[in-house]
Amino acid sequence: MLHNGLPGIAAQEIMAPSNRKELIVLNNHGKTARTSSVLIILFPNEAGELCTIFTKRVEYKGVHSGQISFPGGKSEPEDKSLLHTALRETAEEIGLHINEKSILGRLTDLFVPPSNFIISPFVALLDAPPLMKPDPTEVAEIFSVPVLHCLAPESTIYQSYTTSFGQDIPVPGYLYRDYFIWGATAMIYSELLWVIRQIECPVL
């Protein structure tokens, strides 16, 4: 699935906020960015629909407070690899221990200027709905979204976002029920959706 080349930045930028290029310049193009990784977990629900797991962060004093994200976080010295970071963070955040055999591959790294992190996204495919338990100190909620929903053009909308400079700008994102998936999470997911469109996936 992820071994025949990736669309990379072209797919990510479909869901990029309009001020992204400006922020990249202001943050010196990520030259001092820290490393992190996330895990995109795919699984078939009871109806056989391919779904993706998302988390909603708890409210805190930080740039990503309350946002929708994938399980993941910053790399630590004891992590053997960025994949290990994603697996460790997933276990810590949602109580889900995933075997490396379930990993399909890795998507394109993404620099996130507001937090000064480079995110390495990995993709896992499970054969059944997983049992999860959120860490209440990090995760306010866990929910899943059918992939077909986000593949539909009408799921992509724009909402107004107030930047740290007090500017109101429109940002693209995926709307699912009351959840608005935007920013780095939407950019990463956009590349995966691009890949899925190019293949025949039996659980779709």
Side-chain angles (χ1 to χ4, degrees), residues 63-84:
V63 294
H64 299 303
S65 173
Q67 288 186 7
I68 306 301
S69 63
F70 298 113
K74 65 179 180 180
S75 57
E76 300 291 352
E78 64 269 22
D79 292 336
K80 295 180 292 185
S81 65
L82 286 167
L83 173 58
H84 185 263

Side-chain angles (χ1 to χ4, degrees), residues 3 6 14 29 40 42 44 50 60 72 77 79 82 100 128 134 157 165 172-174 179 198 201:
H3 303 292
L6 294 170
I14 293 172
H29 297 272
I40 307 173
L42 304 173
L50 186 67
Y60 69 100
D79 292 336
L82 286 167
E100 289 189 26
I157 67 167
F165 300 104
Y174 302 105
Y179 304 107
Q198 309 308 311
C201 190

Side-chain angles (χ1 to χ4, degrees), residues 149-160:
H149 174 84
C150 292
L151 284 171
E154 57 268 25
S155 72
T156 299
I157 67 167
Y158 283 79
Q159 288 193 4
S160 180

Side-chain angles (χ1 to χ4, degrees), residues 41-44 50 53 96-99 102 124-130:
I41 304 166
L42 304 173
F43 71 94
L50 186 67
I53 293 171
L96 185 58
H97 297 268
I98 293 183
N99 192 300
S102 299
L125 177 62
L126 308 182
D127 57 9

Side-chain angles (χ1 to χ4, degrees), residues 3-21:
H3 303 292
N4 297 319
L6 294 170
I9 295 175
Q12 293 173 344
E13 289 189 341
I14 293 172
M15 303 302 287
S18 60
N19 66 337
R20 176 170 168 77
K21 291 182 179 179

Side-chain angles (χ1 to χ4, degrees), residues 6-201:
L6 294 170
I9 295 175
Q12 293 173 344
E13 289 189 341
I14 293 172
M15 303 302 287
S18 60
N19 66 337
R20 176 170 168 77
K21 291 182 179 179
E22 176 186 354
L23 292 178
I24 290 175
V25 173
L26 289 174
N27 283 269
N28 200 23
H29 297 272
K31 291 179 180 178
T32 62
R34 296 165 290 175
T35 58
S36 65
S37 59
V38 298
L39 190 62
I40 307 173
I41 304 166
L42 304 173
F43 71 94
N45 64 13
E46 291 81 359
E49 301 172 303
L50 186 67
C51 294
T52 308
I53 293 171
F54 294 91
T55 65
K56 183 176 181 180
R57 296 180 184 272
V58 297
E59 301 288 338
Y60 69 100
K61 292 182 179 180
V63 294
H64 299 303
S65 173
Q67 288 186 7
I68 306 301
S69 63
F70 298 113
K74 65 179 180 180
S75 57
E76 300 291 352
E78 64 269 22
D79 292 336
K80 295 180 292 185
S81 65
L82 286 167
L83 173 58
H84 185 263
T85 298
L87 296 175
R88 175 183 55 76
E89 287 282 346
T90 297
E92 292 174 0
E93 291 184 2
I94 63 174
L96 185 58
H97 297 268
I98 293 183
N99 192 300
E100 289 189 26
K101 294 180 180 179
S102 299
I103 301 300
L104 296 178
R106 177 175 174 173
L107 296 173
T108 304
D109 288 354
L110 177 69
F111 172 51
V112 185
S115 57
N116 198 35
F117 272 104
I118 293 177
I119 302 175
S120 296
F122 295 86
V123 182
L125 177 62
L126 308 182
D127 57 9
L131 295 176
M132 297 171 286
K133 183 179 180 180
D135 176 355
T137 65
E138 295 190 71
V139 178
E141 187 179 352
I142 304 171
F143 64 97
S144 62
V145 179
V147 170
L148 276 178
H149 174 84
C150 292
L151 284 171
E154 57 268 25
S155 72
T156 299
I157 67 167
Y158 283 79
Q159 288 193 4
S160 180
Y161 168 73
T162 303
T163 71
S164 57
F165 300 104
Q167 299 173 304
D168 287 330
I169 62 170
V171 298
Y174 302 105
L175 182 65
Y176 178 70
R177 297 179 180 173
D178 294 330
Y179 304 107
F180 183 58
I181 304 165
W182 67 284
T185 302
M187 292 180 69
I188 291 169
Y189 200 45
S190 177
E191 184 179 31
L192 179 61
L193 294 178
W194 182 311
V195 173
I196 289 176
R197 287 188 185 98
Q198 309 308 311
I199 65 173
E200 293 182 5
C201 190

